Amino acid sequence: MPDRYARMLDLAVEVMSAEAPESVWPLLTGELLTALDGELIVVKEVPWTPEQGSVVIRSPRPLPEAGVDDDSVQAHIRSGYPFIDRYGANSDWTPQSAARVVGTRTWQNSPTADALRQAFGTRHVFGLPLPERGPHVSGFLVHRSGGDFSRHDERYGARVQPLLKAATAHRALLTALRTSSGSDHRRQANQALAAPLTPRETNVLHLLATGLTAEVIGRRLGISPRTVHKHLNALYRKLGAADRLSAVLRAQDAGLLTSSGIAARAWPTRLPGKRKPAPRTGNPP
């Protein structure tokens, strides 16, 4: 257990330094397959329905094309059975195997288990969700052909959940950065700054725009609050801003933040630390 967790911790730190979003999934899924003795893993990043939604499958071994491309197999995967009823209906995000969620006999006799067994030769699936609010469930489904996943696997999954969530959040930031940096407007805006923003400064800027504190930003990025403040000072200097709110607004005007209205949603009209005057009582003088 400690060795597996230590490897994932080191890997999460490495991911936080990555600048290419496509490098994140191979690192995370490769380690999960090794730690959980899996044979293939399904990455659930976007909302699925049984009828639609891209299924991302990663495996160290070649997979039968008939299984990967079979519409009925993908529909079974997208149905999320039996995990959608567990993770989508309540706030219990405990990683568990399908057999433990509904019982071994019920799982092995289910159409989903039969379809996966015929397509990939796997018998058990381990659900490792990423806790979040809302109806959408994201995370990883690890498949194995041998025995069921153990309680040790469950404890490992629970320990690495925060690391996986932080790493996937970083991937989302990298993807957003790449999308925005592809526009001529952003390139011109970046050139107009006192100096171009570094990838880490851009990550801090995006998190800052959601109203997070330096402490929370540090936890998200795996750095200390002191380092966050250093990045904030660099952002203020490059954006010509005096405080957080003006930095976000200037970044919006420069096209560095693509979400419309993000500052208005993330920041209150009254700045933190400034109390609203108490209402007067009695007659005015």
Side-chain angles (χ1 to χ4, degrees), residues 81-82 97-114 117 123-124 148:
Y81 176 82
S97 71
R100 192 159 285 125
V101 171
V102 294
T104 301
R105 179 172 297 180
T106 301
W107 164 248
Q108 293 296 345
N109 292 330
S110 68
T112 297
D114 184 60
R117 191 162 47 243
R123 292 172 46 83
H124 294 281
D148 194 10

Side-chain angles (χ1 to χ4, degrees), residues 11-132:
L11 188 62
V13 173
E14 181 181 350
V15 166
M16 291 306 180
S17 301
E19 298 184 7
E22 61 269 14
S23 67
V24 175
W25 287 150
L27 290 172
L28 296 182
T29 57
E31 178 57 32
L32 285 175
L33 286 171
T34 299
L36 294 170
D37 193 23
E39 296 169 30
L40 70 90
I41 187 169
V42 176
V43 181
K44 189 177 190 305
E45 183 181 19
V46 298
W48 287 346
T49 68
E51 294 76 25
Q52 61 184 4
S54 58
V55 175
V56 180
I57 301 176
R58 295 188 175 275
S59 173
R61 60 180 175 85
L63 295 175
E65 293 184 6
V68 175
D69 298 330
D70 189 285
D71 291 338
S72 64
V73 173
Q74 293 207 12
H76 278 293
I77 295 175
R78 288 193 298 263
S79 72
Y81 176 82
F83 302 106
I84 191 63
D85 292 333
R86 177 178 180 82
Y87 301 129
N90 54 57
S91 57
D92 182 1
W93 301 99
T94 304
Q96 279 194 330
S97 71
R100 192 159 285 125
V101 171
V102 294
T104 301
R105 179 172 297 180
T106 301
W107 164 248
Q108 293 296 345
N109 292 330
S110 68
T112 297
D114 184 60
L116 297 175
R117 191 162 47 243
Q118 292 188 35
F120 307 121
T122 56
R123 292 172 46 83
H124 294 281
V125 183
F126 185 73
L128 209 171
L130 299 179
E132 59 185 84

Side-chain angles (χ1 to χ4, degrees), residues 179-238:
T179 301
S180 61
S181 65
S183 66
D184 291 336
H185 179 69
R186 186 190 182 281
R187 284 198 298 269
Q188 293 170 1
N190 219 356
Q191 291 171 358
L193 299 177
L197 301 186
T198 66
R200 180 64 85 192
E201 289 168 355
T202 304
N203 289 347
V204 171
L205 174 63
H206 278 266
L207 292 175
L208 185 73
T210 65
L212 299 181
T213 65
E215 288 73 17
V216 176
I217 292 174
R219 288 197 296 270
R220 290 281 183 91
L221 299 179
I223 57 180
S224 68
R226 183 178 180 181
T227 302
V228 174
H229 283 294
K230 288 183 179 180
H231 290 310
L232 289 176
N233 290 333
L235 282 171
Y236 298 161
R237 176 175 54 81
K238 293 179 180 181

